[in-house]
Amino acid sequence: MNTRAVLFDLDGTLLNTLEDITDGCNRALAQFGLEQKTLEQIRLAVGNGFKKLVERIVPGGSAHPQFEDIYKTAEEMYAQHSLDKTGPYEGIIPLMDKLKKQNILMGIVSNKPDTEVKKLAKHFFAEYVPEDAAVGEKESEGIRRKPAPDAVFSIMKALGVTSAQSCYVGDSDVDIQTAANAGLPCISVTWGFRPREFLLAHNAQILIDTPQQLIQVLP
């Protein structure tokens, strides 16, 4: 095994955040008299950052006259309740324990707001992931969101590893693209927000059905 670092996507890969995201969005939609969304509708809309999610679920998208207010409200509602129902998928903590024992470093790269990524990483994974190796959306600082490789490069620098020593683990087409743009092998998980058939249709090369399988397929 040449892998020295594993970079994980967050939502749909390490944490099941779908209910809290849905609840946060629906609280905002309700405040503006808009139709509530189902878990499945939110599942299909996530992946490209929180603002893009809200754009996808608001009638008229960003052209809606109250879009910015709806977006800010949804972001606030989610931030206030992001730990209500969220937790690691079964097998994630034992996987991280094994990686740590094998001296494999870990990072988290996400398209959700950087403050939320760091909050969730600290709450659930402080024992495994250094704070500067958990990076979310902060385009205001010049770090483009996925599938741009900027956050991946930032994490590799923080961990002191190269692309040849790293691999990427995620649950979506955005993650597959991100890994390709960063020059990393990508391992796609089937327990997240996108089904196996979708991942295969978007050029997934290696798929795993349980966290335990990751150790077996690491480059």
Side-chain angles (χ1 to χ4, degrees):
M1 184 192 301
N2 297 320
T3 303
R4 286 194 56 220
V6 177
L7 278 58
F8 292 98
D9 167 59
L10 186 60
D11 300 62
T13 300
L14 295 178
L15 295 178
N16 187 349
T17 55
L18 190 59
E19 286 190 80
D20 283 334
I21 292 172
T22 301
D23 290 348
C25 288
N26 280 335
R27 287 186 179 101
L29 293 172
Q31 284 194 27
F32 291 86
L34 298 174
E35 182 182 354
Q36 303 282 283
K37 300 299 180 182
T38 66
L39 278 173
E40 188 59 25
Q41 287 173 313
I42 297 297
R43 181 196 303 275
L44 296 174
V46 298
N48 295 94
F50 203 82
K51 193 165 192 175
K52 179 59 71 172
L53 162 62
V54 177
E55 183 180 325
R56 287 169 174 162
I57 63 173
V58 169
S62 59
H64 189 287
Q66 293 177 292
F67 175 76
E68 287 297 330
D69 290 334
I70 300 168
Y71 160 60
K72 289 174 184 175
T73 302
E75 196 170 46
E76 290 169 5
M77 291 293 99
Y78 173 64
Q80 291 171 19
H81 296 277
S82 60
L83 293 171
D84 288 1
K85 301 173 183 176
T86 288
Y89 286 99
E90 183 179 355
I92 289 297
I93 297 301
L95 167 64
M96 289 183 147
D97 279 331
K98 287 182 181 179
L99 292 173
K100 185 177 179 180
K101 286 175 183 175
Q102 294 185 22
N103 297 313
I104 295 175
L105 303 171
M106 287 167 270
I108 294 173
V109 55
S110 173
N111 271 343
K112 68 194 312 145
D114 187 65
T115 53
E116 276 302 308
V117 173
K118 286 180 167 52
K119 180 177 82 174
L120 292 169
K122 182 177 181 180
H123 184 83
F124 291 107
F125 308 120
E127 184 180 345
Y128 311 102
V129 179
E131 184 175 354
D132 59 355
V135 178
E137 188 279 312
K138 46 181 180 178
E139 293 195 323
S140 61
E141 297 180 28
I143 296 181
R144 297 170 296 167
R145 68 173 181 261
K146 299 185 296 184
D150 303 23
V152 172
F153 292 151
S154 172
I155 292 170
M156 289 195 299
K157 182 178 180 181
L159 295 176
V161 295
T162 66
S163 56
Q165 299 169 318
S166 308
C167 78
Y168 188 101
V169 180
D171 73 309
S172 73
D173 53 321
V174 175
D175 293 314
I176 294 168
Q177 295 164 15
T178 302
N181 290 339
L184 302 186
C186 183
I187 298 168
S188 298
V189 309
T190 62
W191 59 79
F193 296 168
R194 299 289 184 267
R196 172 183 289 268
E197 295 75 17
F198 178 93
L199 295 169
L200 288 171
H202 287 81
N203 302 315
Q205 301 298 309
I206 304 171
L207 292 98
I208 57 174
D209 299 317
T210 66
Q212 302 92 295
Q213 293 176 337
L214 180 65
I215 299 289
Q216 303 164 18
V217 299
L218 284 177

